[in-house]
Amino acid sequence: MAPPDLPLFERDREQAVLSAVIGELRSGRPALVTVTGEPGLGQNELLRWAAGQARDRGVHVLAARATSAEHELRYGVVAQLLAPEDRDIATRLFVAPQRPGGLPGLNHLLTACHDRPTLLVVQDVQWLDPASLRWLEALARRLPRAPLALLTSTTGTAIDRPEWSVGTPLTGLASTIELALPPLTTSGVSAAVRTICGVPGDTDFTHALAQATRGVPAVVHEVLLRFTRTGCAPRAEHVEHLRTLTAEVVGDHAAQALSELRDPVAVDVLRALAVCGDLLDFPLVCTLAGLHPVPEARLRATLMASGLLTPRDGSPPGHDAVVRARILEEMPAADRADLYARAARLAQRVAVADQGIAELLLRARPVGAPWAVATLRRGFAAALRSGRRDRATAYLARALDEPLRSEERARVELQLASVQMVTAPTAAERRLHGLIRSTGTGTGLRSQAVDLCLLGGDTRAARLAQPTGPGTLGDPAPCDADVPAPRRGSGTGSPPGRRARAVAGDATAPRGGNTSDPAHRDGADEHPERTATADNDATVSARDELATVGDRHELATVSERHELIALLRVARFLRHEETCPGVPPAPALPEHSHSPAVAGVRAWEHAMAGVHLEASRRLARAAFAPDPGGRPPLVTPRLFACRALFLTDDGDEAEAHLATLLNEAHRQRAAIAIAHVLAVRADLHLRHGRPDAAARDLAAAEAELPPARLHPLFVPYWASLNLVADLQNGRPDRAREIAARPVPSLSEECATSAYLLFARGVLARSEDDPQRARAYFRACGRWLLHYGCVNPAVLPWRSLAAEAAHALGDDAEALRLTREEVRLAARWGTRSALGRAELGLAVVIRENRTEHFRAAVATLSESPARTDYTRAVLELASAESAEAERRTALALTSRRASTAGGVAPGPLPGFSQAPPAPAGVPPGRGAAPHPRPPAGWPALSPAEHETALLAASGLANREIATTLSVTTRAVELRLSGVYRKLRIRGREELRALRYGPEGG
């Protein structure tokens, strides 16, 4: 395989040995030298160099080369050796009948050697024909009696191993030397680059060449020749081009060696090895190749001699990927697929690992056996565990080529789409749309497909699932046609309307009227005991009716319809398409339903409207109850139920449900579900004042779903979470970068745009820019109202816009906004929302400011909003310090410390953890603008900022520790950091910075 002009690099030791052998040969000392090594290491080049040296020193040289094509030609190599001595020897050797024990021409050669020293050079003795092998072995036995040297080369494993290569007693009186050639080192490769390219190569280029070629001189030489023809310099920027050329050269060498392999049995075994040589041992590979009379040892030797196989650390022979690919490219496609299928069956019978069998099945024709699909699905799970999503999707796509039942095929399609939502979202959407349109999809799979589409941002899928004709999604409640008639003799006398309501009854929904009417909803919460009793009666009645209904298929249809309505309502919230021509409005949720999905979405809609606090809490909890019909739970409605629990001040319960959702998504290997659950939990962490935990969850979510793969509908929400987390973690530069980052145009059409507008407003507020902050908060409010969200617990944009207006001198607008927020918060009913609203009112109002601060502190003290409570205490302390009444604030702090429970502020309280709004002023004075923060103040972490404000308000370390639920030592460490960053020496200077010269 080596070109004739291959230079010899790093062969000084071997050249010295051969020079010594030639010198001793002239003195009449015989020798036998064997040069071994992998193909391409330059054995034959070294033999040609030795032959040239011998001729130059007057030694007679006879040369021959064995080839695989002449392996069966009797005396083929002997004829080449003796032809210069006797031109007619070939005719006699090939035509004359073979005589037992005959060694034609050997005695004549030995006689001639006595007159002149002779060097016999035989290349590639691994291909010696049997007759030539016997002839050379006889010559080796006679070496001690003649001034003759035998110099041979081999790839290391001959088909019939010559006896002289092991130093047997037959050659005991002659020098027997074996030279094993190693690959080139990096220095040798560097010398080759300098010689062939004409200039030294970069270190990176040389290392890449040595690694790609494995230091094989023949490959190095040819790669460099092709590289220089391209006109490129051996620099690091051309490494990829170098690797491409190396693959071509290795493939060409493999194709040439394969063309020289004449034995059909060896070719079959070689192809079998290329398919599964890494999975099965050599005897099993030979079995896969088929029955043949050739011994295993001879097959192994033949393949080794070809150079297409190399031993690896004593393990079974293996292929380089390029060589393997070139071997398989020579096969017809149908034969190759059949070989892979047979290899997969054999591997399955001998219990090879699942991923190994799955790799074989990827390239095999369909095998039509149940174990194939099961193996591919197990390989899919294993590939996901190791983070190989592309390989996992390939396994499931291959499983779809096998014969499957319709429901099983749909489940595989759904599982495949859940992974493709991250790797190939367009293909996933097409696959899911096919499932949604299919009429033969199994129980719950259509709803799951729509649910998955919504997680991927595809809101069209919910409308694709909308049925036509009677009982469409547009019906608020199922009509009588939705429910099968009772069987005769069932004993039920319920009228049709009641029977329909019983089948779709929901123990969690208020009864007795249309729940879309806010007035009725308010009335439903006035008597919770009566409502609960009626709901329990309805549940019992519904279950009795369910027991009498005979057609479960129709019941499943009703349940699926309710789920699809719920998902369509979610799609409407994510993207308001009803203003587009030809798009019908989204139907109302069913008035009575057992579906947990309906309960979860209804809980969110109550929370958005800011009504029915207890009903929203009850519905959110019902979203996590098992479906009465055994249908699989959906992810999106439960995520919205968790978000509803945020707003009902049940953050700890929501966190437990999110942990359940996360574990479920991990079990199902649903990366997109994992990412969304982590994002919602990051939202929860921000509301709880844990920005470091939020940052970790956001990083984990982006690892599952890279931002480049995130649908534009969710970009504003994720960007807002990252912005606030960075702001609270003391990274304002990153927060500004996120705020300035452009968002896709489609992002401006979704409800989540309000979150990003709000976050940008918070950033402007932290930068003391009330004009820009008010613009962002107003835009956020307009967007929320456009989507029907009036609850200030979702985002408290009114109070923050009011504070910005107050700072700009627009007190009328500030009072209007804060009073509206107080009214809406009181209607919603949570302490955290109401306390925040009262705090906002206290900041902007002129009369009785201190009393308003006291009311806010009292309300927040009974809420889980720890961050907002701390700010309220600070504002009250600031107001009271001007009146010399600080004791009230300290007393309230102590009472808060004794009654503090869980910590879970409501509407993204982390947003309110920016530098506080203007403090109160003594009654009768105008509202003074907030002093500009001192230099170094933005460098404080949120914890240090909070501690510094409490210390500046006059609280002792123990009181601060009790208020913040930390140790006294933690307070001391935080204050030390504050003093260092602000370059001050103690509390007095901190107090002066906080309140200015008049704050005393």
Side-chain angles (χ1 to χ4, degrees):
M1 291 189 292
D5 56 345
L6 177 66
L8 294 174
F9 298 105
E10 295 187 328
R11 297 292 182 254
D12 298 338
R13 182 182 68 89
E14 291 80 6
Q15 288 174 319
V17 171
L18 293 177
S19 294
V21 168
I22 294 171
E24 292 182 353
L25 179 61
R26 295 185 62 196
S27 302
R29 297 175 184 173
L32 195 153
V33 182
T34 304
V35 182
T36 65
E38 295 182 19
L41 291 180
Q43 299 94 314
N44 295 338
E45 298 303 319
L46 192 60
L47 263 62
R48 284 193 284 270
W49 175 87
Q53 291 290 314
R55 291 190 185 96
D56 293 342
R57 297 165 70 172
V59 175
H60 184 53
V61 178
L62 299 176
R65 182 177 183 182
T67 63
S68 60
E70 297 179 355
H71 176 63
E72 300 300 331
L73 179 62
R74 187 180 61 170
Y75 291 119
V77 170
V78 174
Q80 295 180 55
L81 286 173
L82 300 181
E85 304 294 326
D86 186 355
R87 296 182 179 180
D88 298 329
I89 188 69
T91 304
R92 297 197 304 271
L93 290 175
F94 300 153
V95 177
Q98 183 176 3
R99 294 179 298 170
L103 297 171
L106 180 59
N107 291 329
H108 177 75
L109 176 64
L110 292 174
T111 302
C113 288
H114 286 288
D115 297 332
R116 53 182 178 178
T118 303
L119 176 66
L120 269 63
V121 178
V122 182
Q123 302 177 21
D124 299 328
V125 295
Q126 70 270 13
W127 298 117
L128 281 174
D129 60 275
S132 296
L133 178 62
R134 289 193 302 272
W135 193 92
L136 288 174
E137 287 177 345
L139 174 66
R141 287 194 293 269
R142 293 165 173 77
L143 279 181
R145 301 194 297 270
L148 186 145
L150 178 60
L151 178 59
T152 63
S153 67
T154 177
T155 56
T157 304
I159 298 173
D160 293 311
R161 188 171 177 82
E163 293 187 7
W164 70 76
S165 63
V166 293
T168 64
L170 300 176
T171 59
L173 297 179
S175 299
T176 303
I177 302 172
E178 183 172 352
L179 299 176
L181 300 184
L184 296 180
T185 64
T186 305
S187 298
V189 174
S190 179
V193 172
R194 190 183 309 107
T195 301
I196 299 174
C197 296
V199 293
D202 284 351
T203 302
D204 293 341
F205 182 90
T206 303
H207 281 291
L209 178 61
Q211 183 179 17
T213 61
R214 295 190 304 166
V216 177
V219 180
V220 171
H221 182 254
E222 188 167 349
V223 168
L224 289 176
L225 287 179
R226 295 190 186 186
F227 183 81
T228 54
R229 283 198 290 267
T230 63
C232 298
R235 298 290 181 262
E237 57 266 23
H238 302 301
V239 166
E240 289 303 321
H241 178 52
L242 175 73
R243 292 195 177 104
T244 302
L245 289 177
T246 304
E248 294 177 359
V249 171
V250 172
D252 292 344
H253 285 201
Q256 180 181 351
L258 187 62
S259 65
E260 295 174 354
L261 192 60
R262 305 293 180 177
D263 188 352
V265 176
V267 172
D268 291 341
V269 174
L270 183 65
R271 289 171 173 173
L273 277 169
V275 167
C276 58
D278 295 336
L279 299 175
L280 304 177
D281 55 18
F282 195 76
L284 287 175
V285 171
C286 294
T287 302
L288 178 63
L291 298 176
H292 51 78
V294 184
E296 177 186 323
R298 185 176 182 84
L299 276 174
R300 188 189 296 269
T302 302
L303 296 177
M304 288 288 190
S306 70
L308 294 170
L309 297 181
T310 55
R312 294 182 178 177
D313 301 328
S315 60
H319 302 275
D320 289 333
V322 176
V323 175
R324 178 181 302 177
R326 188 58 66 94
I327 290 171
L328 295 176
E329 284 175 2
E330 302 295 326
M331 296 181 66
D335 294 345
R336 185 169 57 246
D338 181 70
L339 179 59
Y340 272 107
R342 291 190 288 112
R345 289 195 186 96
L346 181 59
Q348 195 269 340
R349 286 200 298 271
V350 299
V352 172
D354 287 332
Q355 279 195 280
I357 304 175
E359 285 294 323
L360 295 175
L361 289 171
L362 278 182
R363 301 166 181 82
R365 58 169 174 77
V367 298
W371 61 262
V373 177
T375 301
L376 286 166
R377 297 184 75 172
R378 289 194 298 269
F380 160 81
L384 281 185
R385 284 195 297 270
S386 59
R388 301 167 61 208
R389 286 178 179 157
D390 291 340
R391 183 58 67 185
T393 56
Y395 289 153
L396 280 192
R398 171 61 183 82
L400 293 174
D401 294 335
E402 297 289 335
L404 296 168
R405 292 180 292 105
S406 59
E407 184 171 349
E408 185 180 8
R409 179 175 296 277
R411 292 188 183 280
V412 174
E413 292 261 14
L414 185 68
Q415 194 174 24
L416 175 57
S418 70
V419 181
Q420 286 183 327
M421 273 294 182
V422 177
T423 59
T426 303
E429 287 181 9
R430 287 198 301 267
R431 196 177 300 278
L432 291 172
H433 288 182
L435 284 177
I436 293 168
R437 292 190 181 99
S438 175
T439 58
T441 307
T443 304
L445 291 183
R446 293 182 72 223
S447 300
Q448 287 181 282
V450 177
D451 183 37
L452 190 54
C453 282
L454 289 178
L455 290 175
D458 178 17
T459 57
R460 298 171 300 164
R463 297 197 179 277
L464 286 178
Q466 182 174 357
T468 57
T472 64
L473 291 185
D475 298 336
C479 62
D480 296 340
D482 292 336
V483 184
R487 297 177 180 175
R488 293 184 180 180
S490 62
T492 179
S494 301
R498 178 181 174 184
R499 184 165 60 250
R501 288 191 298 271
V503 170
D506 184 0
T508 63
R511 303 180 60 83
N514 185 358
T515 56
S516 62
D517 183 4
H520 164 72
R521 293 177 183 175
D522 290 334
D525 279 342
E526 292 177 1
H527 305 286
E529 298 85 3
R530 185 186 310 167
T531 302
T533 303
D535 291 341
N536 292 335
D537 294 341
T539 304
V540 174
S541 174
R543 290 175 180 171
D544 291 342
E545 290 289 338
L546 284 171
T548 63
V549 175
D551 194 342
R552 295 195 177 187
H553 175 72
E554 291 297 330
L555 294 177
T557 302
V558 173
S559 298
E560 184 179 78
R561 181 175 292 114
H562 290 180
E563 288 180 343
L564 294 178
I565 292 175
L567 295 173
L568 186 55
R569 299 289 294 183
V570 172
R572 175 187 179 274
F573 169 73
L574 291 177
R575 187 180 182 190
H576 221 316
E577 297 177 310
E578 295 176 357
T579 57
C580 300
V583 178
L589 290 168
E591 184 178 345
H592 308 288
S593 176
H594 273 299
S595 172
V598 172
V601 177
R602 188 185 292 280
W604 174 249
E605 291 190 351
H606 282 339
M608 289 274 290
V611 294
H612 307 313
L613 173 65
E614 290 303 322
S616 179
R617 180 179 287 125
R618 186 174 64 251
L619 287 163
R621 292 168 177 166
F624 294 92
D627 186 89
R631 297 174 64 81
L634 304 179
V635 176
T636 306
R638 288 185 289 168
L639 282 178
F640 276 89
C642 288
R643 295 174 71 179
L645 288 173
F646 295 174
L647 309 183
T648 61
D649 283 352
D650 297 300
D652 291 340
E653 187 176 350
E655 189 169 6
H657 288 311
L658 286 172
T660 302
L661 278 171
L662 190 60
N663 291 335
E664 178 185 301
H666 276 297
R667 285 196 305 271
Q668 296 175 354
R669 311 293 175 192
I672 193 165
I674 294 172
H676 279 285
V677 174
L678 287 171
V680 174
R681 195 169 71 174
D683 189 346
L684 173 64
H685 287 318
L686 290 176
R687 295 173 183 272
H688 281 216
R690 298 192 294 262
D692 51 345
R696 287 194 298 270
D697 273 351
L698 288 170
E702 291 181 359
E704 295 288 341
L705 181 61
R709 297 289 189 181
L710 186 64
H711 194 277
L713 291 183
F714 300 116
V715 167
Y717 181 59
W718 285 43
S720 68
L721 296 176
N722 279 287
L723 191 157
V724 174
D726 286 335
L727 196 60
Q728 293 186 14
N729 283 316
R731 294 191 288 265
D733 292 339
R734 289 181 55 178
R736 294 188 196 98
E737 179 186 348
I738 295 173
R741 192 178 299 161
V743 296
S745 57
L746 184 60
S747 300
E748 301 174 357
E749 303 177 14
C750 62
T752 58
S753 296
Y755 286 84
L756 184 55
L757 292 170
F758 187 88
R760 287 171 172 168
V762 170
L763 178 62
R765 181 170 176 262
S766 71
E767 295 174 342
D768 198 17
D769 188 349
Q771 186 75 35
R772 190 160 52 96
R774 181 170 67 167
Y776 278 126
F777 290 135
R778 282 176 168 177
C780 168
R782 287 193 297 270
W783 205 246
L784 289 175
L785 294 175
H786 174 69
Y787 278 87
C789 177
V790 298
N791 191 350
V794 178
L795 290 173
W797 63 271
R798 295 176 181 85
S799 58
L800 297 184
E803 292 182 19
H806 177 63
L808 293 171
D810 192 348
D811 292 342
E813 181 185 3
L815 287 173
R816 178 182 62 81
L817 289 172
T818 53
R819 284 171 176 163
E820 182 181 3
E821 181 161 329
V822 169
R823 178 181 63 82
L824 294 173
R827 188 180 76 167
W828 176 235
T830 60
R831 286 287 182 175
S832 57
L834 182 57
R836 275 189 297 271
E838 291 175 342
L839 178 59
L841 178 62
V843 170
V844 302
I845 201 168
R846 291 177 179 272
E847 296 80 12
N848 300 322
R849 183 189 299 261
T850 304
E851 295 303 321
H852 283 291
F853 277 128
R854 289 195 181 105
V857 169
T859 303
L860 289 170
S861 68
E862 300 177 6
S863 79
R866 179 181 63 84
T867 304
D868 294 291
Y869 172 77
T870 302
R871 183 193 170 198
V873 170
L874 293 174
E875 296 288 4
L876 176 58
S878 178
E880 288 183 340
S881 65
E883 302 173 358
E885 294 178 2
R886 210 184 111 261
R887 298 176 183 175
T888 305
L890 297 178
L892 288 172
T893 300
S894 301
R895 185 176 65 183
R896 164 65 174 171
S898 62
T899 59
V903 181
L908 294 178
F911 292 110
S912 63
Q913 222 174 350
V921 295
R925 295 186 183 180
H930 193 280
R932 183 173 300 276
W937 193 265
L940 300 182
S941 68
E944 291 172 340
H945 176 264
E946 192 175 44
T947 306
L949 292 180
L950 290 173
S953 300
L955 273 67
N957 286 1
R958 187 179 300 276
E959 292 172 322
I960 297 174
T962 303
T963 301
L964 299 180
S965 301
V966 297
T967 64
T968 306
R969 178 59 178 165
V971 174
E972 294 172 354
L973 293 175
R974 291 181 185 180
L975 288 177
S976 298
V978 170
Y979 300 154
R980 184 178 65 257
K981 293 178 181 178
L982 298 183
R983 298 182 179 180
I984 59 178
R985 288 176 291 182
R987 285 175 178 263
E988 293 303 322
E989 294 186 29
L990 179 64
R991 181 177 174 80
L993 287 176
R994 173 65 178 87
Y995 296 107
E998 299 179 0

